[in-house]
Every structure is written in structure tokens, then in C-alpha cells.
Amino acid sequence: MTTYMKLTGKIAIATAALFALTVTSCKTNESNYRAAYEAAKQKNEESRGIEGTIYEKIRNEAVDSRLIVEGDSIPMMTVNVKIAAETTTPESVKKYSVTVNQFKQIFNAKSLMTRLRENGYPGAFVLETAEPLYYVIATTTDDAEEAKDSYRKIRNDKSIVLKAPFPWILSPARLPVK
């Protein structure tokens, strides 16, 4: 065997070994995938976040609490709101309003309001936050016991499609009078 052939064989073996080493060291594994997924997820959440915006301030002004009536605890939020697009009058909005949904589009909120009015909730209306978010209200009252009864009735009403966290009681923090 000539020296050239021996050298070529050794180069071929060294190249094959180097290739095998390169391929196995670049192999991704589950932990690499998980780390990349978590990093992408975090970046996505940060880009969608409301931190540092006017929406953060508005949402932080809302006060999450409970309405306690005769030992029952009902979820309640105190929120700065106004009447949305002439759906009711300020004097019609009472201390406790049973909220069945929220929307970012007034059209969707008004559509649900109309369906509620057609299905036994003639006093349904829409309230709006500064963000704006549109809260659809089925009933409103100044009496905590009536609010509890209305909350339970709506929660059990099969004609209303509810998604968590609804229903809950909205207590207007301030309601500008026009």
C-alpha cells in the first residue's frame, strides 16, 4: 500500500469521525426545545402585556371584592364606568348591576343586550370603561338581597350563555351624569 493511500484512508476516517461528532453534538433534545419554547412564550407575553399603558392604569383602578349577603359571597367589581351609546339613563343604573359579559366591540355588547331584552331582561343595558370595555348588564338594583337573587337567577338561566368569570356584580365607582 502506498503512502498516498494510507494518508487518504486516514483522512477519510478522520473526516467521518469529525462528521459523526458534529452531527451528534448538534442534536437538539427536549430540554433545548423546552427552553426555546419558554423563551418565546415569555417574549410573546411581554409584547402583549398592558404594563406601562393607560389600560394598566384603568384596570388597576377596578377594585375586586365580594358582596356578602346573609352569609353568601358573590363576586363584585367596583369600576369607573359610563353609559354606553345611549343604552339607558344614568339614573337607571343602581348600586349593584349583574354583569353577564364584557366585549371590546360595542356591536357585540349591544347584540347581547338586545337578546337579553328579548328573553326576559327588559332593563338590560351596556356600561363602558375608559379602555373601552363594554359590560353587558342584565339587571340592576340598590338592594343587596335583590342583587343576590338576580345573580343566582342569571347564573341558573339556561338561555344565557355564561363564560367564566361571569356573572358578577358591578358596582359603579362613578357614573358621569350628562
Side-chain angles (χ1 to χ4, degrees), residues 3-88:
T3 309
Y4 176 74
M5 290 176 69
K6 288 181 184 177
L7 185 60
T8 305
K10 288 180 181 178
I11 292 174
I13 292 172
T15 304
L18 184 59
F19 178 74
L21 181 64
T22 304
V23 169
T24 57
S25 67
C26 291
K27 189 183 267 184
T28 56
N29 57 33
E30 188 176 339
S31 64
N32 290 347
Y33 280 122
R34 171 64 58 192
Y37 170 77
E38 293 298 329
K41 184 176 163 186
Q42 179 68 26
K43 185 175 180 182
N44 188 29
E45 287 174 0
E46 288 171 0
S47 68
R48 287 187 299 134
I50 61 167
E51 293 80 20
T53 67
I54 185 66
Y55 303 124
E56 177 188 26
K57 180 180 181 298
I58 292 166
R59 290 181 187 176
N60 286 339
E61 288 176 351
V63 178
D64 191 5
S65 61
R66 308 292 288 181
L67 175 62
I68 309 297
V69 182
E70 297 178 0
D72 288 335
S73 176
I74 301 167
M76 182 169 76
M77 291 281 287
T78 302
V79 183
N80 291 327
V81 291
K82 65 181 181 178
I83 304 298
E86 302 171 2
T87 60
T88 193

Side-chain angles (χ1 to χ4, degrees), residues 1 8 11 17 20 25 35 47 49 52 57 67 69 71 81 97 107 124 134 137 140 151 160-161 163 166 169-170 172:
M1 202 177 242
T8 305
I11 292 174
S25 67
S47 68
K57 180 180 181 298
L67 175 62
V69 182
V81 291
S97 297
F107 173 81
Y134 299 96
I137 309 301
T140 189
Y151 169 84
I160 302 174
V161 178
K163 295 179 184 172
F166 297 98
I169 305 294
L170 184 145

Side-chain angles (χ1 to χ4, degrees), residues 67-119:
L67 175 62
I68 309 297
V69 182
E70 297 178 0
D72 288 335
S73 176
I74 301 167
M76 182 169 76
M77 291 281 287
T78 302
V79 183
N80 291 327
V81 291
K82 65 181 181 178
I83 304 298
E86 302 171 2
T87 60
T88 193
T89 60
E91 51 278 350
S92 298
V93 181
K94 307 296 183 200
K95 187 174 181 180
Y96 307 109
S97 297
V98 181
T99 308
V100 295
N101 211 328
Q102 80 179 21
F103 297 95
K104 288 191 173 249
Q105 301 292 324
I106 186 70
F107 173 81
N108 296 332
K110 283 184 167 184
S111 294
L112 178 55
M113 176 193 72
T114 301
R115 287 194 307 272
L116 286 170
R117 287 178 176 178
E118 292 169 351
N119 289 304

